[in-house]
Amino acid sequence: MKNFKAINLFFLMSIWLGLCSFTAANANTIPSSNASNGTSVEHFLASDGRISVPANFSGNLDLTGFSVSLDECAGPVAVPLLDTWNAL
């Protein structure tokens, strides 16, 4: 059941991000992306963690360091991962 939820989340995120990247207009307002990882999702986070990708964005999002979940009302939400292992 856990794998099913993860696959569903991945599928929904792929569709949502795909739909958001159909239009590419003014690339000057979008942070440049690293060719290997893409643009950090940090650039597109609202204060409550919602991912707000502009309509003119085209490319990959780098989710490194973030945990992404799908909220039924807010859509995709990203939360920074805590690095607690260094304290040990």
Side-chain angles (χ1 to χ4, degrees), residues 18-31:
L19 291 174
C20 291
S21 65
F22 273 120
T23 59
N26 184 5
N28 293 334
T29 61
I30 298 174

Side-chain angles (χ1 to χ4, degrees), residues 39-53:
T39 304
S40 175
V41 72
E42 183 176 21
H43 296 291
F44 304 115
L45 288 182
S47 60
D48 61 356
R50 287 180 293 128
I51 301 173
S52 179
V53 180

Side-chain angles (χ1 to χ4, degrees), residues 1-7:
M1 188 66 168
K2 221 175 202 186
N3 285 340
F4 182 71
K5 287 182 180 181
I7 291 171

Side-chain angles (χ1 to χ4, degrees), residues 43-77:
H43 296 291
F44 304 115
L45 288 182
S47 60
D48 61 356
R50 287 180 293 128
I51 301 173
S52 179
V53 180
N56 62 342
F57 176 77
S58 177
N60 298 323
L61 282 180
D62 181 13
L63 301 175
T64 304
F66 289 89
S67 173
V68 179
S69 61
L70 188 60
D71 183 276
E72 62 186 46
C73 296
V77 176

